[in-house]
Amino acid sequence: MNPQPPAPTCIRHPDRATGLACTRCGRPSCPECLRPAAVGQHCVDCLGQDQRAAPRMRTVAGATVARSAIPYVTYALVAANIVIFAITVVQSRSLVDNYYGSPLFAHWMLVPDLVAHGQWIRVLGAGFLHWGPLHLAMNMFALWVVGRILEPALGRTRYLAVYVVGLLGGSAASMIFQDSNAAAAGASGAVFGLFGAITVFLIRVRQNPNQMLILIGINVFISFSVPGISLSGHLGGLLAGTLAALGVLFVPEWLRATSQEAVRSIGWASIAVVGLVDLIAIGLAAAALA
């Protein structure tokens, strides 16, 4: 009498005998490792291969939809601004008048004449300084609100690039239009750049942008009416961020780009062009003051 062959065991659980098998790959699998399919049942390994092979969902900007919706870049920018503000508070020994007696504030605030004489760090550094806690709170609240929407839409790296382009646009406008010995500081240029970018995004996804347009109008009016606020810096950041977002969200469609690689390349090229224009404007303004 021939011995009966042993029953097959689950490919994932060798200690479990099973008479079932995946109708796709044919491997024996226990009920726990099988899922109903249109025809028969598929094992979890085959289902996992299907999920990995499936194209990732993308936003209108061509960004991959992240599994985590946490806006890490926005939080990092807020944290960086708060840390730098805290350093100026400690150095000045004043929460309100943190710009007096702080070497960091003195070395980073944007003074066009000093930039023209080689102190280029001020072009970027000024975007992380704030005149007291109220100035910081207003900018960081706006960044937090806008960033949570815009960062997932553009993708983290392009969102950061638009932020930097807006910051540089604000610095460029300040270099050109403000008094050569006047000091400017704040993330407002970058934040206004995000205001422009999210307005473009709302138009791209066919949402009503009126609330953002009203918010921008109110902020421009305040910048124009209240002494000591850099209107040129705000408008420069707004223009740069808007143009960069147009390049990411609309130019690929205008050029009839069909592949995701082309969409991303055109978006990055557009951001680079706006950033280059910012740097050229800064350089020309510095050369005129030197």
Side-chain angles (χ1 to χ4, degrees):
M1 181 176 180
N2 294 329
Q4 186 176 4
T9 58
C10 175
I11 193 68
R12 293 171 60 88
H13 303 96
D15 59 329
R16 300 180 186 177
T18 180
L20 303 175
C22 174
T23 54
R24 180 171 177 178
C25 66
R27 298 186 303 172
S29 300
C30 66
E32 183 181 334
C33 296
L34 293 171
R35 300 292 183 270
V39 177
Q41 61 275 334
H42 293 172
C43 66
V44 292
D45 291 333
C46 288
L47 293 175
Q49 291 177 1
D50 288 344
Q51 292 176 354
R52 288 189 293 270
R56 297 287 298 277
M57 294 180 61
R58 295 186 179 274
T59 68
V60 292
T64 302
V65 177
R67 292 185 175 88
S68 172
I70 300 175
Y72 291 109
V73 175
T74 297
Y75 291 166
L77 289 171
V78 171
N81 279 276
I82 292 174
V83 167
I84 290 173
F85 178 77
I87 293 173
T88 62
V89 168
V90 171
Q91 290 179 340
S92 64
R93 300 181 181 180
S94 173
L95 178 65
V96 178
D97 297 328
N98 62 302
Y99 41 89
Y100 285 124
S102 168
L104 181 62
F105 210 106
H107 292 155
W108 278 14
M109 62 183 179
L110 182 63
V111 180
D113 190 57
L114 296 178
V115 174
H117 287 83
Q119 298 184 27
W120 299 101
I121 185 62
R122 297 176 182 272
V123 171
L124 279 176
F128 292 90
L129 300 174
H130 289 88
W131 310 94
L134 181 59
H135 188 207
L136 173 72
M138 292 176 63
N139 277 337
M140 293 305 99
F141 178 72
L143 173 58
W144 178 72
V145 171
V146 175
R148 290 184 305 161
I149 301 171
L150 197 56
E151 181 178 334
L154 297 181
R156 294 190 179 108
T157 52
R158 275 173 292 189
Y159 166 77
L160 178 60
V162 170
Y163 183 92
V164 173
V165 163
L167 192 160
L168 291 175
S171 295
S174 295
M175 287 286 298
I176 294 171
F177 295 108
Q178 80 177 34
D179 186 83
S180 62
N181 292 313
S188 302
V191 170
F192 265 76
L194 297 184
F195 283 173
I198 196 170
T199 303
V200 173
F201 169 72
L202 291 174
I203 295 172
R204 179 66 177 83
V205 296
R206 302 182 187 278
Q207 297 293 316
N208 191 336
N210 287 345
Q211 289 185 342
M212 278 307 306
L213 293 174
I214 292 171
L215 178 62
I216 291 171
I218 291 173
N219 278 274
V220 169
F221 177 77
I222 294 173
S223 303
F224 182 80
S225 305
V226 178
I229 296 180
S230 176
L231 175 63
S232 59
H234 291 180
L235 293 180
L238 176 65
L239 177 62
T242 300
L243 291 176
L246 283 171
V248 172
L249 294 167
F250 278 98
V251 171
E253 183 181 18
W254 295 340
L255 296 179
R256 302 183 184 278
T258 56
S259 68
Q260 290 297 330
E261 291 75 12
V263 170
R264 290 193 295 270
S265 298
I266 293 171
W268 274 113
S270 301
I271 294 173
V273 168
V274 178
L276 181 60
V277 172
D278 288 343
L279 294 176
I280 291 174
I282 292 170
L284 292 176
L289 293 172

Tab-separated table of all heavy atoms in Angstrom, residues 185-220:
chain	number	residue	atom	x	y	z
A	185	ALA	N	12.908	93.193	6.700
A	185	ALA	CA	13.025	91.828	7.224
A	185	ALA	C	11.636	91.199	7.261
A	185	ALA	O	10.620	91.897	7.291
A	185	ALA	CB	13.643	91.830	8.623
A	186	GLY	N	11.605	89.873	7.257
A	186	GLY	CA	10.341	89.163	7.385
A	186	GLY	C	10.123	88.163	6.273
A	186	GLY	O	10.673	88.301	5.172
A	187	ALA	N	9.291	87.173	6.572
A	187	ALA	CA	8.942	86.148	5.588
A	187	ALA	C	7.782	86.582	4.702
A	187	ALA	O	7.252	85.771	3.938
A	187	ALA	CB	8.578	84.847	6.311
A	188	SER	N	7.406	87.849	4.772
A	188	SER	CA	6.221	88.308	4.047
A	188	SER	C	6.348	88.137	2.540
A	188	SER	O	5.369	87.801	1.860
A	188	SER	CB	5.948	89.775	4.379
A	188	SER	OG	5.773	89.956	5.767
A	189	GLY	N	7.523	88.379	1.985
A	189	GLY	CA	7.703	88.199	0.546
A	189	GLY	C	7.426	86.772	0.125
A	189	GLY	O	6.713	86.512	-0.859
A	190	ALA	N	7.960	85.809	0.896
A	190	ALA	CA	7.723	84.400	0.586
A	190	ALA	C	6.258	84.032	0.784
A	190	ALA	O	5.670	83.288	-0.017
A	190	ALA	CB	8.614	83.523	1.463
A	191	VAL	N	5.645	84.559	1.855
A	191	VAL	CA	4.240	84.265	2.129
A	191	VAL	C	3.345	84.851	1.037
A	191	VAL	O	2.397	84.193	0.573
A	191	VAL	CB	3.837	84.802	3.513
A	191	VAL	CG1	2.330	84.726	3.708
A	191	VAL	CG2	4.551	84.019	4.609
A	192	PHE	N	3.647	86.065	0.592
A	192	PHE	CA	2.882	86.641	-0.512
A	192	PHE	C	3.077	85.817	-1.780
A	192	PHE	O	2.159	85.687	-2.597
A	192	PHE	CB	3.294	88.096	-0.744
A	192	PHE	CG	2.428	89.099	-0.045
A	192	PHE	CD1	2.548	89.300	1.322
A	192	PHE	CD2	1.479	89.835	-0.738
A	192	PHE	CE1	1.754	90.215	1.980
A	192	PHE	CE2	0.671	90.754	-0.087
A	192	PHE	CZ	0.804	90.945	1.279
A	193	GLY	N	4.267	85.258	-1.969
A	193	GLY	CA	4.482	84.364	-3.095
A	193	GLY	C	3.569	83.155	-3.035
A	193	GLY	O	3.015	82.719	-4.052
A	194	LEU	N	3.378	82.603	-1.825
A	194	LEU	CA	2.455	81.481	-1.667
A	194	LEU	C	1.012	81.913	-1.872
A	194	LEU	O	0.192	81.141	-2.377
A	194	LEU	CB	2.632	80.853	-0.279
A	194	LEU	CG	3.993	80.224	0.019
A	194	LEU	CD1	3.975	79.564	1.396
A	194	LEU	CD2	4.401	79.224	-1.047
A	195	PHE	N	0.686	83.156	-1.467
A	195	PHE	CA	-0.661	83.676	-1.748
A	195	PHE	C	-0.941	83.656	-3.252
A	195	PHE	O	-2.017	83.235	-3.696
A	195	PHE	CB	-0.797	85.107	-1.232
A	195	PHE	CG	-0.983	85.231	0.254
A	195	PHE	CD1	-0.972	86.478	0.866
A	195	PHE	CD2	-1.184	84.122	1.054
A	195	PHE	CE1	-1.157	86.604	2.226
A	195	PHE	CE2	-1.362	84.234	2.428
A	195	PHE	CZ	-1.355	85.489	3.012
A	196	GLY	N	0.023	84.143	-4.017
A	196	GLY	CA	-0.154	84.137	-5.470
A	196	GLY	C	-0.233	82.728	-6.018
A	196	GLY	O	-1.056	82.433	-6.904
A	197	ALA	N	0.600	81.828	-5.470
A	197	ALA	CA	0.620	80.450	-5.969
A	197	ALA	C	-0.685	79.721	-5.683
A	197	ALA	O	-1.200	78.999	-6.543
A	197	ALA	CB	1.798	79.698	-5.345
A	198	ILE	N	-1.245	79.914	-4.495
A	198	ILE	CA	-2.485	79.196	-4.182
A	198	ILE	C	-3.657	79.767	-4.969
A	198	ILE	O	-4.599	79.056	-5.306
A	198	ILE	CB	-2.761	79.209	-2.657
A	198	ILE	CG1	-3.800	78.137	-2.322
A	198	ILE	CG2	-3.235	80.580	-2.191
A	198	ILE	CD1	-3.973	77.902	-0.843
A	199	THR	N	-3.601	81.056	-5.306
A	199	THR	CA	-4.639	81.634	-6.163
A	199	THR	C	-4.603	80.993	-7.543
A	199	THR	O	-5.647	80.638	-8.108
A	199	THR	CB	-4.448	83.154	-6.277
A	199	THR	OG1	-4.473	83.743	-4.969
A	199	THR	CG2	-5.548	83.780	-7.122
A	200	VAL	N	-3.404	80.817	-8.082
A	200	VAL	CA	-3.263	80.141	-9.381
A	200	VAL	C	-3.754	78.706	-9.285
A	200	VAL	O	-4.425	78.199	-10.190
A	200	VAL	CB	-1.791	80.191	-9.836
A	200	VAL	CG1	-1.590	79.358	-11.096
A	200	VAL	CG2	-1.350	81.623	-10.076
A	201	PHE	N	-3.438	78.045	-8.188
A	201	PHE	CA	-3.883	76.659	-7.999
A	201	PHE	C	-5.408	76.571	-7.974
A	201	PHE	O	-5.999	75.674	-8.598
A	201	PHE	CB	-3.299	76.104	-6.699
A	201	PHE	CG	-3.892	74.790	-6.279
A	201	PHE	CD1	-3.605	73.622	-6.971
A	201	PHE	CD2	-4.754	74.712	-5.189
A	201	PHE	CE1	-4.165	72.407	-6.595
A	201	PHE	CE2	-5.316	73.509	-4.802
A	201	PHE	CZ	-5.019	72.354	-5.507
A	202	LEU	N	-6.058	77.487	-7.265
A	202	LEU	CA	-7.522	77.464	-7.203
A	202	LEU	C	-8.133	77.647	-8.593
A	202	LEU	O	-9.122	76.990	-8.948
A	202	LEU	CB	-8.019	78.553	-6.253
A	202	LEU	CG	-7.722	78.335	-4.763
A	202	LEU	CD1	-8.132	79.552	-3.955
A	202	LEU	CD2	-8.431	77.091	-4.240
A	203	ILE	N	-7.543	78.533	-9.381
A	203	ILE	CA	-8.037	78.736	-10.750
A	203	ILE	C	-7.824	77.470	-11.575
A	203	ILE	O	-8.689	77.074	-12.359
A	203	ILE	CB	-7.330	79.942	-11.396
A	203	ILE	CG1	-7.704	81.232	-10.649
A	203	ILE	CG2	-7.697	80.058	-12.874
A	203	ILE	CD1	-6.911	82.443	-11.088
A	204	ARG	N	-6.682	76.818	-11.380
A	204	ARG	CA	-6.361	75.608	-12.146
A	204	ARG	C	-7.349	74.475	-11.866
A	204	ARG	O	-7.712	73.722	-12.781
A	204	ARG	CB	-4.929	75.147	-11.804
A	204	ARG	CG	-4.487	73.875	-12.515
A	204	ARG	CD	-4.384	74.092	-14.007
A	204	ARG	NE	-3.887	72.906	-14.677
A	204	ARG	CZ	-4.644	71.866	-15.032
A	204	ARG	NH1	-5.948	71.876	-14.787
A	204	ARG	NH2	-4.115	70.819	-15.637
A	205	VAL	N	-7.782	74.355	-10.618
A	205	VAL	CA	-8.717	73.277	-10.274
A	205	VAL	C	-10.172	73.755	-10.327
A	205	VAL	O	-11.069	73.093	-9.816
A	205	VAL	CB	-8.402	72.689	-8.875
A	205	VAL	CG1	-7.039	72.044	-8.870
A	205	VAL	CG2	-8.509	73.750	-7.781
A	206	ARG	N	-10.372	74.927	-10.943
A	206	ARG	CA	-11.708	75.473	-11.181
A	206	ARG	C	-12.484	75.742	-9.895
A	206	ARG	O	-13.684	75.504	-9.794
A	206	ARG	CB	-12.517	74.536	-12.097
A	206	ARG	CG	-11.841	74.283	-13.443
A	206	ARG	CD	-12.685	73.392	-14.335
A	206	ARG	NE	-11.975	73.020	-15.548
A	206	ARG	CZ	-11.875	73.776	-16.631
A	206	ARG	NH1	-12.448	74.965	-16.652
A	206	ARG	NH2	-11.207	73.346	-17.702
A	207	GLN	N	-11.737	76.248	-8.896
A	207	GLN	CA	-12.357	76.696	-7.665
A	207	GLN	C	-12.400	78.225	-7.648
A	207	GLN	O	-11.590	78.881	-8.299
A	207	GLN	CB	-11.583	76.180	-6.451
A	207	GLN	CG	-11.569	74.669	-6.316
A	207	GLN	CD	-12.941	74.097	-6.021
A	207	GLN	OE1	-13.682	74.617	-5.207
A	207	GLN	NE2	-13.287	73.004	-6.717
A	208	ASN	N	-13.323	78.779	-6.890
A	208	ASN	CA	-13.479	80.229	-6.823
A	208	ASN	C	-12.313	80.852	-6.043
A	208	ASN	O	-12.144	80.564	-4.862
A	208	ASN	CB	-14.805	80.570	-6.132
A	208	ASN	CG	-15.164	82.040	-6.273
A	208	ASN	OD1	-14.300	82.884	-6.476
A	208	ASN	ND2	-16.440	82.351	-6.136
A	209	PRO	N	-11.517	81.730	-6.683
A	209	PRO	CA	-10.366	82.321	-5.997
A	209	PRO	C	-10.683	83.646	-5.310
A	209	PRO	O	-9.765	84.331	-4.848
A	209	PRO	CB	-9.376	82.538	-7.150
A	209	PRO	CG	-10.262	82.888	-8.304
A	209	PRO	CD	-11.544	82.093	-8.119
A	210	ASN	N	-11.959	84.020	-5.245
A	210	ASN	CA	-12.310	85.352	-4.759
A	210	ASN	C	-11.833	85.602	-3.333
A	210	ASN	O	-11.385	86.705	-3.000
A	210	ASN	CB	-13.823	85.571	-4.842
A	210	ASN	CG	-14.294	85.768	-6.273
A	210	ASN	OD1	-13.485	86.006	-7.172
A	210	ASN	ND2	-15.590	85.646	-6.506
A	211	GLN	N	-11.928	84.593	-2.463
A	211	GLN	CA	-11.492	84.788	-1.083
A	211	GLN	C	-10.005	85.106	-1.012
A	211	GLN	O	-9.586	85.983	-0.249
A	211	GLN	CB	-11.813	83.551	-0.245
A	211	GLN	CG	-13.304	83.356	0.020
A	211	GLN	CD	-13.581	82.199	0.957
A	211	GLN	OE1	-12.728	81.341	1.164
A	211	GLN	NE2	-14.777	82.166	1.519
A	212	MET	N	-9.203	84.406	-1.813
A	212	MET	CA	-7.765	84.687	-1.819
A	212	MET	C	-7.488	86.063	-2.419
A	212	MET	O	-6.626	86.801	-1.927
A	212	MET	CB	-7.014	83.615	-2.602
A	212	MET	CG	-6.720	82.350	-1.819
A	212	MET	SD	-5.884	82.618	-0.239
A	212	MET	CE	-4.462	83.586	-0.742
A	213	LEU	N	-8.217	86.416	-3.472
A	213	LEU	CA	-8.019	87.734	-4.081
A	213	LEU	C	-8.377	88.845	-3.098
A	213	LEU	O	-7.675	89.867	-3.014
A	213	LEU	CB	-8.860	87.852	-5.352
A	213	LEU	CG	-8.451	86.936	-6.516
A	213	LEU	CD1	-9.458	87.045	-7.650
A	213	LEU	CD2	-7.049	87.294	-7.009
A	214	ILE	N	-9.441	88.650	-2.329
A	214	ILE	CA	-9.817	89.641	-1.318
A	214	ILE	C	-8.750	89.717	-0.235
A	214	ILE	O	-8.361	90.813	0.207
A	214	ILE	CB	-11.189	89.286	-0.709
A	214	ILE	CG1	-12.289	89.457	-1.759
A	214	ILE	CG2	-11.481	90.151	0.519
A	214	ILE	CD1	-13.641	88.934	-1.319
A	215	LEU	N	-8.255	88.558	0.205
A	215	LEU	CA	-7.200	88.535	1.230
A	215	LEU	C	-5.944	89.248	0.744
A	215	LEU	O	-5.328	90.024	1.477
A	215	LEU	CB	-6.881	87.085	1.611
A	215	LEU	CG	-5.769	86.888	2.647
A	215	LEU	CD1	-6.151	87.532	3.971
A	215	LEU	CD2	-5.477	85.402	2.841
A	216	ILE	N	-5.569	88.986	-0.511
A	216	ILE	CA	-4.394	89.658	-1.071
A	216	ILE	C	-4.636	91.160	-1.130
A	216	ILE	O	-3.766	91.965	-0.774
A	216	ILE	CB	-4.075	89.093	-2.474
A	216	ILE	CG1	-3.583	87.652	-2.362
A	216	ILE	CG2	-3.022	89.951	-3.176
A	216	ILE	CD1	-3.456	86.948	-3.692
A	217	GLY	N	-5.832	91.556	-1.573
A	217	GLY	CA	-6.146	92.980	-1.647
A	217	GLY	C	-6.081	93.658	-0.297
A	217	GLY	O	-5.547	94.775	-0.174
A	218	ILE	N	-6.607	93.002	0.741
A	218	ILE	CA	-6.560	93.578	2.089
A	218	ILE	C	-5.117	93.734	2.544
A	218	ILE	O	-4.732	94.774	3.111
A	218	ILE	CB	-7.352	92.692	3.068
A	218	ILE	CG1	-8.849	92.766	2.748
A	218	ILE	CG2	-7.099	93.113	4.512
A	218	ILE	CD1	-9.693	91.787	3.548
A	219	ASN	N	-4.300	92.717	2.319
A	219	ASN	CA	-2.894	92.782	2.753
A	219	ASN	C	-2.117	93.835	1.980
A	219	ASN	O	-1.257	94.513	2.547
A	219	ASN	CB	-2.241	91.404	2.589
A	219	ASN	CG	-2.548	90.477	3.747
A	219	ASN	OD1	-1.876	90.491	4.761
A	219	ASN	ND2	-3.575	89.663	3.577
A	220	VAL	N	-2.402	93.984	0.693
A	220	VAL	CA	-1.728	95.032	-0.089
A	220	VAL	C	-2.144	96.404	0.422
A	220	VAL	O	-1.313	97.315	0.549
A	220	VAL	CB	-2.055	94.876	-1.594
A	220	VAL	CG1	-1.585	96.098	-2.378
A	220	VAL	CG2	-1.404	93.614	-2.141
